[in-house]
Amino acid sequence: FAALHAAVPGLPLASSTILPGIVLRRDFAAYCPAEGELRALLVTEPLQPALTAPGVEFVVDSEGQYEASLRWITRRTEALVKHLQSNSVKLLLSSTKQDEVVIYYAQLYGVSVVECLLSEEMALISEITGVSPYAPFGDDMYREITEIAVASFCQPLLLGSKRCVHIGFTSVCAFQPHCLILCGPVDGVNEQHAAALQEAFTMLQQLFKTVDQRGECKAEGESQNKASDVCSWDSSPTQKQIIVENISCNSNQVSECQLKALSDETETKILAPDESGSLVDKQKSYSTAVLACNADTVTACELLDVGKGLEKTCCNIVPFKQEESCVGIAQDHSSSLIEAGSVLPVGGYFEILLHYYIQYYAKQCQQSEVAVVSNVVADALLSIPKALYRTTELDSFTKFYLKAVNSLRKNQPLPGNKEGLESVYCKYQLVVSVLHCVTELLSIDLIIGIKQPVQKIEDRDSEDDF
Amino acid sequence: MSRLEAKKPPLFISEPLTKDTVCQSLLLLSRIFKSSYGPAGRLKQLHNGVGGCVCTTSQSSALLRHLSVSSPVLRVLTASVQNHVSRCSDCGLFTAILCCSLIENFRSLNVAPCTVIKITKNLLSLCMDYLKSEACGCQVSVDFSSVETLVCLTNAVLGKCVIIPVKGRRVMDSTVLPGLLIETPEIQLGKPLAVKRTGSNMIKIALFCASMSGDSFSPEEGTIAVRHGISLEVSELNQLLNVGKQLVNDGVGLVVCQKVIHPSLKQYLKENHVMAVDRAGLSLMEPLSRMTGSKPIASIHSLSPGCYGSLKDVSIERVASKHFVHLIPGDTVICSLILCNRSETAWDELKRVCETAEHVLQLTMKEPLALLGGGCTETHLASYIRYKSSSLSTSTFQDLGCSQTQYQLVADGFCRSLESVARSLNHDGGEILTDMVYGHCWFVPSGLLSVSNWSDVVSKCGCGISGNTEDLSWRILEGQSCSPVIRGCPKEPSVKVTDFLTLDCFAAKCSGLQVALETANLVLDLSYVIEDQN
């Protein structure tokens, strides 16, 4: 990516464009304008023969010999450039700095030269054109040059206040190179945009990954079941019979009311054998703990607060993955659970759906600890859409939530928005990673501060042990 | 001496624009820029209390380079303006003032920043569409065949300009000379120049970019073993003298070398009436080769007759205490600008101004348009936006997700910022008016108390395009928001009073407008500043 974008500070954002070909961020050492297609060569070593080399001693016997050697070097350079010209090579791309004499002859014979290319740029050009660098001094200098790349155009380009080289290559592989020119008022803005675009490309690569039904471990496989429900929401949403009370409190207390309502329901369903009383109390403390944090707090904090109360029950549930060991609700899947290219509209739909189905699962769950933890996770998921709707009008989150839940209840498709899409696979990976992370954090019982940085201990020979 | 300090936690500031310190710094910066703006702008002296040179300037590039801004929020602003100036060279103060006043105006509005940003983007697209359209009332097309328009744009001369510094003379001694000047030591003064000429009375010139001092070949890798009794230096000198012989045989009259010429070679050439100039420097190589048509020779072994160029004349010039060899070509497309000034800082300012002028001309060559100067484009654009924003359909508001009131507030803030830029051109008191028909900017000198009829007092608008004041009605440009007067779209003045207009560079001003607005959006969007203290 680094070779395929250029940042230009000082121009307005609207000037950002995409240009075909590659932009090299240095100027021509010699520029000879040429129309149409050009033949180009890649070189990695200086074209001018050197008098000596490392480890080689050049012995001068007479002055005439010295003069003749220097003259020979110059003539040989000229002959080489002439040879290039006779093969109609019009562009020389060099990864090292070329001598002035080479530049002079190149200018004389109409060959444009660009020097000091980076190794990544050379590698990119090699890959695009399928051409390897040309070694001028092999056995025979005058042999036919086979490593020629074809460039469709080659011209200088003004980026901001710097002149760059803009070359278009005809690509032999499926990858057609384009260069992204990012403009912005300050460097920082350009860096942010470049990073965001790079991440967008990574996301697109992830988009086409699939998740199969029966993965390696039981836990993994079953966590996907939930995700599959997400995919199949628009095809055949499963039947839900959850009674959601009509909530008419204001936005600040919505979650409280909902939680209370749900916890009331789950209370009646919890068949925990011995800890019913204490568990119910803990349940209420979880709700309040969740509410104590506002929407800006990281999910982990909420779960941590909750987790402290859950210590005892947690020991039985290590790792959290077990809560994903659900039997799964009615499924009508193909062989892959998350198909390649699955997308959902943006705006919190993924979270709402996952929240809804986890809560449904929690109600049907026999083990009370799993149900409790599932509810915590479900409520934590809501923090994302809450943050999204925070900047718009005051109660937009409530409206969105109610609309979505009502549609799910009636098996209707969710009201979508046309603004954008997000990849299901990426979101799935995100949720799994977050749960892993939380699991680890909750399993830590002591943090020890040390003065020295942690060093890696290498294996030593056993003889030192004595 | 370095000390070890305990690592302080980073400083975390939320909502930086509501803090008093930032507001005050912003006001101060804004005042500095406003008071330096325009032809009547006052100079600022940048002074370092512990010594070092003093800089007196009113240019944004110099001001921003030397000013140290501590607030991170304002550093975004200064960095953005500096980047713009490095790209466009002109309209730096315009961008800075516009950006500051946009931030001030939008900050005090009771509209959420994301809504403000959406509305300003819409306004910017309106502005740019208008400015780039054919029917724009403040656009002037530049005709390169008439010098007047170009002189209006800047005061520099077309063609490639090489700037030569001379300090200690009066500004009026600055001159333009055709051809190129190469600085030389005083040795050659006094003797009449007898330079060999060719049959057509031109002087053949050979241009060398290689070193002719005899130390050309020192290999970086490996070693050279020399047998006893052989001297590499003598060998190189012989080679150089051979080159000299060939030059003389080819009838070359002037040899210019980028690097040093060996004294023996210089002597030999002088004996043969060939003038030798060395230490010309890399920057002169390209202009010299373009001016004379000679190809710079890169190695003393590769002399070919096709590399020589031609000159019309050579002379010695003396300016102040410096001596120059003056090369005059056959066609005077390339010329040199000698800039003189009394003090170093004034000379720096003059040099920067000339470079800016040259850049402006280059930009205008790419896009042959200019905008009216003197504040008229700003007021014209402001009245256009006021007119447009009052006649938008409701679907636009729905698309943007804002209400009409919000849009009007933001548009009013935007127009007031534009007008404040025009107002800051006035440094001598007096009033600034804008007319209701063309939307131009008119200055009224101070000292005239309540005049009943403004048209008796004003004579010419800021850019100079219209002087007819009879049918126009006026409004005083103030800082506060005025009542939205719905008037027609501002028109283009049909009658041009004089040919001498004040013009601004189109590309630089458009780019400046966009950069100012985007930077203001960026600053308004900042909700947290996290600063690492050590």
Side-chain angles (χ1 to χ4, degrees), chain A residues 9-13 51-54 56-63 66-67 70 104-105 108 158 160-161 185-186 189, chain B residues 79-80 83 86-87 217 221-225 227 230 232 235-236 239 295-296 298 301-302 307 366 514-515 518 522:
Chain A
L11 279 177
L13 281 168
L51 197 55
T52 62
V56 174
E57 200 178 61
F58 180 75
V59 177
V60 179
D61 283 329
S62 71
E63 287 166 15
Y66 185 62
E67 271 180 56
L70 294 179
Y104 164 70
Y105 280 122
L108 206 58
L158 192 64
S161 50
V186 238
V189 171
Chain B
S80 169
N83 284 334
S86 74
R87 162 79 178 94
F217 226 99
E221 305 160 339
T223 50
I224 300 187
R227 221 168 55 163
I230 299 177
L232 284 183
S235 157
E236 301 230 354
Q239 292 176 55
K295 298 198 175 65
H301 305 284
S302 55
C307 314
K366 282 187 217 161
Q514 286 174 305
V515 168
E518 277 165 14
L522 193 63

